[in-house]
C-alpha cells in the first residue's frame, strides 16, 4: 500500500511540475522543504536517526537547489540576501542533524515559512517576473 501511495504522489508531483510556472515550482520546493523538515523533526523525536538524516538531507538538497537557482544579475540585492539566508539554513540543518537539535530545525522552518509567505504574496499578474529574479 505504501509503495502505491508513493507512486501516486510521484506521478502527481511530476504532473504538477510539467505544467508549473517557475513561480509555482519555487512554491512547491519551499513546501517540500518544510514538509521534509517537519518529518525530520518527528523522526528526531522518535529517535529514528536514519530517517532523520535522510529527511534533513532531502531538505538540504532542496535548499541547495533554491540557492543555485538564484539569478544574481537580476535583483542582485534580494538574491544576495537570499543566498545568505540559504547558507545560514544549510548550516543550521547540518547542525540539527549532527547534534540532534530540534531548535535548529525550528530556526530553518521559521525562515522558510517567511520566505514562502512572501513568495505566496506575489500577485498572480507578476508571476512571470519571478523567473528572472529567483
Amino acid at each position: 500500500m505504501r509503495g502505491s501511495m508513493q507512486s501516486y504522489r510521484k506521478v502527481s508531483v511530476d504532473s504538477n511540475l510539467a505544467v508549473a510556472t517557475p513561480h509555482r515550482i519555487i512554491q512547491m520546493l519551499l513546501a517540500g522543504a518544510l514538509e521534509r523538515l517537519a518529518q525530520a523533526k518527528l523522526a528526531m523525536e522518535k529517535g529514528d536517526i536514519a530517517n532523520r538524516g535522510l529527511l534533513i538531507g532531502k531538505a538540504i538538497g532542496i535548499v541547495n537547489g533554491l540557492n543555485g537557482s538564484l539569478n544574481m544579475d537580476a535583483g542582485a540585492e534580494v538574491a544576495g540576501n537570499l543566498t545568505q539566508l540559504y547558507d545560514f539554513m544549510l548550516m543550521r540543518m547540518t547542525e540539527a542533524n549532527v547534534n540532534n537539535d530540534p531548535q535548529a530545525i525550528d530556526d530553518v522552518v521559521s525562515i522558510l515559512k517567511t520566505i514562502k509567505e512572501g513568495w505566496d504574496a506575489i500577485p498572480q499578474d507578476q508571476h512571470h517576473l519571478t523567473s528572472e529574479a529567483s
Side-chain angles (χ1 to χ4, degrees):
M1 176 78 161
R2 184 175 178 160
S4 298
M5 195 60 154
Q6 287 176 331
S7 295
Y8 174 78
R9 288 183 80 191
K10 181 169 177 15
V11 168
S12 177
V13 168
D14 290 347
S15 296
N16 284 334
L17 280 174
V19 296
T21 64
H23 182 272
R24 180 69 185 124
I25 291 170
I26 299 296
Q27 286 178 310
M28 292 171 67
L29 288 169
L30 291 167
L34 288 166
E35 184 178 341
R36 296 305 165 272
L37 289 169
Q39 293 168 336
K41 189 170 177 185
L42 182 61
M44 190 179 284
E45 291 168 1
K46 291 181 175 183
D48 187 348
I49 296 167
N51 271 332
R52 177 194 75 205
L54 177 71
L55 293 161
I56 289 175
K58 288 181 179 189
I60 286 172
I62 292 169
V63 171
N64 270 326
L66 289 166
N67 197 17
S69 74
L70 292 171
N71 183 343
M72 299 307 278
D73 296 329
E77 184 178 348
V78 171
N81 290 339
L82 283 171
T83 291
Q84 290 178 351
L85 283 172
Y86 290 146
D87 288 345
F88 175 78
M89 288 187 280
L90 292 167
M91 179 188 68
R92 290 298 284 156
M93 286 187 282
T94 300
E95 291 170 355
N97 198 27
V98 170
N99 301 322
N100 200 42
D101 182 0
Q103 182 58 51
I105 289 179
D106 290 343
D107 293 347
V108 175
V109 165
S110 176
I111 295 167
L112 281 173
K113 281 184 177 179
T114 300
I115 292 170
K116 186 170 183 333
E117 288 168 2
W119 201 255
D120 292 345
I122 295 172
Q124 178 76 30
D125 65 340
Q126 294 185 18
H127 285 191
H128 68 284
L129 301 175
T130 58
S131 63
E132 297 166 10
S134 67

